[in-house]
Amino acid sequence: MTCRKEFYELLSDEEFQNGIFNFDSVGDEDKKAFIRQYSIDKEEFIKARAVLGGLDFKEVSFSEDELNYLWKRLNIDLTVSREPKLSAGTPLVILNWLYKVAAVLLIPLLIASAWLFYQNTKLEAFNNERIGRLTGVYNTVAAPVGGRAKAILPDGSEVWLNSGSSVQYPVLANPAYREVKLTGEGFFKVVKNPRQPMFVHASGVQVKVYGTTFNMNAYQDNVNIETVLVEGEISIVKLDKDGDPENTEYKIRPGEVGRLNRQQNTISVSRASNLDVFTGWVNGKYVFRNTSFKSILERLEKIHNVTFVLDDKSLGDYSFDATFEDQNIDRIMEIFAVSLPIKWRSVQAEQKDDKTFSERRIIISAE
């Protein structure tokens, strides 16, 4: 490829040099004006960039289609019509300039850009897949039946678990919120973080936590799911059949208890007269106030891993106050026998054919 004599004179023109050096930083209209002003074509333009850039690379050949593609990559949609004036004395070394700049600046740049885009896309897809996979994998901490356990969540929040309860949380936390799944009963002390609230999910209900101490009783066989707030701020929301939260949000203030009635699918909020009734179990204290004998026995079944059998169902209708502090079930039954007209006997657990043991049963009858 040859070039007209005027082209080489342009290379020493300071204004032309500045135009070449600053070409990428100007707008499309200024680029077109520059091409018109000096009447240069795509070959001369690329040569000028190579010469003024002081490059020295190996020679590479390109087809006309490749040159047109490189020209379009410069974001210039302009054809300058003229017949170039050829000079027989054009130095042959100039023929290499186009190859040098195209091979080294544009083609490798395009290849590198494509490769980097592909690699970044692969990396982003891998990270998204990994994040999605890990946010769907849960760690589980469980309390044995008849015992209690304590869990420390990744953010430093603490959860005390009552008998037979468990808490699950993602291996990799979502950056927008904290998520916990509770089965049974848990007492939460949540680290405050207004930008990343915690959502505690249980059967049929979601609790939104902002930095709070509260107790949630969500055993599967309970008619009511009870959430009592000790301090801080929470709200409770019903979950629909697909597990998604409904629109109505119930704010709970300290000293209040929110109840989701599973049978009626309703939420009510009321004042808790004695927080120990809901939270005393954390310290081994079980408090009952004006509670039916049947409800007390249901609570004790979970705590002590026993099954109560009432020979006379009417015995369950008795109501009274009671407080038990880390007492074994035999001692508790003795207290009941003094307070109520009942007698009781214990049937010890037996080993089954599958080598597991049945629960201990306590038979209660009228005296």
Side-chain angles (χ1 to χ4, degrees):
M1 182 174 62
T2 57
C3 290
R4 55 194 173 97
K5 181 178 179 181
E6 291 85 351
F7 169 73
Y8 304 114
E9 295 174 353
L10 286 176
L11 296 180
S12 60
D13 186 294
E14 184 176 354
E15 185 177 352
F16 179 81
Q17 293 174 0
N18 291 333
I20 290 294
F21 290 140
N22 299 319
F23 191 83
D24 292 336
S25 63
V26 300
D28 291 344
E29 292 302 319
D30 290 335
K31 291 178 180 177
K32 293 176 183 178
F34 178 84
I35 298 298
R36 292 193 192 95
Q37 178 182 353
Y38 294 100
S39 299
I40 58 175
D41 58 22
K42 59 178 176 291
E43 297 171 350
E44 292 174 336
F45 176 83
I46 296 174
K47 285 181 186 179
R49 292 188 67 154
V51 174
L52 296 175
L55 301 174
D56 186 15
F57 295 93
K58 295 181 180 179
E59 179 176 324
V60 180
S61 298
F62 295 95
S63 67
E64 183 67 16
D65 288 341
E66 289 170 328
L67 291 174
N68 288 334
Y69 174 72
L70 298 175
W71 184 246
K72 290 180 180 179
R73 286 291 295 175
L74 291 172
N75 199 26
I76 303 173
D77 186 14
L78 175 68
T79 300
V80 179
S81 298
R82 63 169 179 79
E83 290 294 328
K85 298 179 181 179
L86 303 182
S87 172
T90 300
L92 293 178
V93 69
I94 301 298
L95 295 178
N96 293 332
W97 292 337
L98 172 63
Y99 310 144
K100 296 172 185 176
V101 69
V104 178
L105 290 183
L106 297 178
I107 291 297
L109 179 61
L110 296 177
I111 294 174
S113 298
W115 183 84
L116 288 173
F117 176 80
Y118 175 69
Q119 294 298 323
N120 287 336
T121 302
K122 282 177 58 180
L123 180 60
E124 182 178 358
F126 172 77
N127 286 336
N128 289 338
E129 179 185 359
R130 180 173 179 269
I131 290 172
R133 186 167 62 249
L134 291 180
T135 52
V137 176
Y138 288 81
N139 283 327
T140 301
V141 179
V145 177
R148 298 188 295 270
K150 181 180 178 181
I152 305 296
L153 303 183
D155 67 341
S157 297
E158 301 176 345
V159 186
W160 285 261
L161 298 168
N162 207 348
S163 171
S165 302
S166 64
V167 65
Q168 295 179 312
Y169 55 90
V171 172
L172 184 62
N174 189 305
Y177 58 87
R178 296 168 286 176
E179 182 183 17
V180 169
K181 294 181 179 180
L182 175 68
T183 301
E185 184 171 20
F187 180 83
F188 290 79
K189 294 187 72 172
V190 177
V191 172
K192 187 174 183 179
N193 186 346
R195 294 188 301 274
Q196 191 184 34
M198 176 181 287
F199 293 95
V200 180
H201 299 270
S203 177
V205 69
Q206 170 186 283
V207 179
K208 187 176 183 180
V209 187
Y210 303 92
T212 302
T213 301
F214 70 99
N215 190 83
M216 189 174 189
N217 186 337
Y219 282 109
Q220 289 292 339
D221 55 351
N222 286 358
V223 174
N224 292 317
I225 296 179
E226 297 179 326
T227 305
V228 63
L229 179 60
V230 178
E231 61 180 25
E233 182 182 0
I234 64 173
S235 62
I236 57 178
V237 180
K238 286 191 297 184
L239 302 178
D240 61 24
K241 62 181 180 179
D242 297 322
D244 297 321
E246 297 184 355
N247 293 329
T248 305
E249 187 173 346
Y250 296 82
K251 295 284 187 180
I252 309 296
R253 298 183 178 87
E256 291 182 339
V257 55
R259 290 184 176 88
L260 169 65
N261 186 295
R262 284 191 170 112
Q263 295 177 347
Q264 301 175 5
N265 194 30
T266 58
I267 289 180
S268 62
V269 179
S270 60
R271 195 74 188 169
S273 58
N274 188 336
L275 290 180
D276 279 346
V277 172
F278 302 93
T279 65
W281 66 267
V282 178
N283 298 313
K285 182 168 67 173
Y286 292 87
V287 180
F288 303 96
R289 292 292 180 265
N290 194 28
T291 308
S292 69
F293 187 43
K294 178 183 176 182
S295 297
I296 293 175
L297 294 181
E298 290 174 350
R299 180 77 161 157
L300 294 176
E301 280 184 336
K302 298 180 177 68
I303 300 167
H304 294 279
N305 192 27
V306 298
T307 299
F308 291 102
V309 179
L310 286 173
D311 280 346
D312 184 347
K313 301 298 183 183
S314 65
L315 295 175
D317 296 333
Y318 283 105
S319 295
F320 55 93
D321 297 343
T323 300
F324 306 108
E325 294 192 44
D326 277 335
Q327 292 164 314
N328 63 49
I329 193 60
D330 292 319
R331 175 58 182 157
I332 291 173
M333 293 310 301
E334 290 173 3
I335 295 173
F336 282 144
V338 172
S339 306
L340 298 172
I342 64 169
K343 56 184 178 180
W344 64 280
R345 61 186 177 90
S346 178
V347 179
Q348 297 299 322
E350 297 178 352
Q351 190 172 18
K352 303 177 183 179
D353 293 338
D354 60 1
K355 304 303 181 182
T356 62
F357 285 84
S358 63
E359 290 182 334
R360 179 187 176 187
R361 291 188 303 154
I362 295 178
I363 314 299
I364 303 174
S365 57
E367 188 175 38

